[in-house]
Amino acid sequence: MRLNIEIDNLSKGRSLAEFLRTIGYVKSVEILKDEDLTDEDWILPGRPATDEEHEALAKAMEKEKDGIEANTFFKELKENILK
């Protein structure tokens, strides 16, 4: 199982990571900055995309040949997924 925790304070995040490492059943703890995410991180099961990732995806889709415009993407997202 993977647990993803988002912290807005790097110092407190490091303290939390050190504490988690002391717990016997915790296999590993990684500290990732948002810019450390890779293309593979988009497809992790159960990991919801952030608003910034949705925006980045929409911009990338606009740049593609025959791509969909961001406004259309978000409209369809709201209509079909976020009911």
Side-chain angles (χ1 to χ4, degrees):
M1 184 184 121
R2 183 179 294 253
L3 176 66
N4 184 5
I5 300 172
E6 186 174 325
I7 303 286
D8 62 359
N9 182 300
L10 183 59
S11 176
K12 290 181 180 180
R14 286 185 175 141
S15 296
L16 177 60
E18 288 302 316
F19 167 72
L20 291 172
R21 288 183 181 113
T22 66
I23 299 173
Y25 56 84
V26 173
K27 290 183 180 180
S28 68
V29 176
E30 294 179 64
I31 297 176
L32 297 174
K33 297 177 187 163
D34 289 339
E35 59 268 11
D36 293 339
L37 295 174
T38 66
D39 289 341
E40 291 78 29
D41 292 325
W42 283 79
I43 59 170
L44 291 175
R47 180 189 173 278
T50 65
D51 290 340
E52 291 82 13
E53 290 168 335
H54 281 133
E55 185 69 28
L57 177 60
K59 288 179 181 178
M61 290 168 63
E62 282 185 334
K63 292 179 184 177
E64 292 179 4
K65 182 179 179 182
D66 300 324
I68 186 171
E69 290 186 16
N71 291 337
T72 305
F73 168 75
F74 286 114
K75 180 181 175 188
E76 290 179 9
L77 182 68
K78 287 179 182 177
E79 290 174 356
N80 298 315
I81 298 173
L82 302 176
K83 294 179 182 179

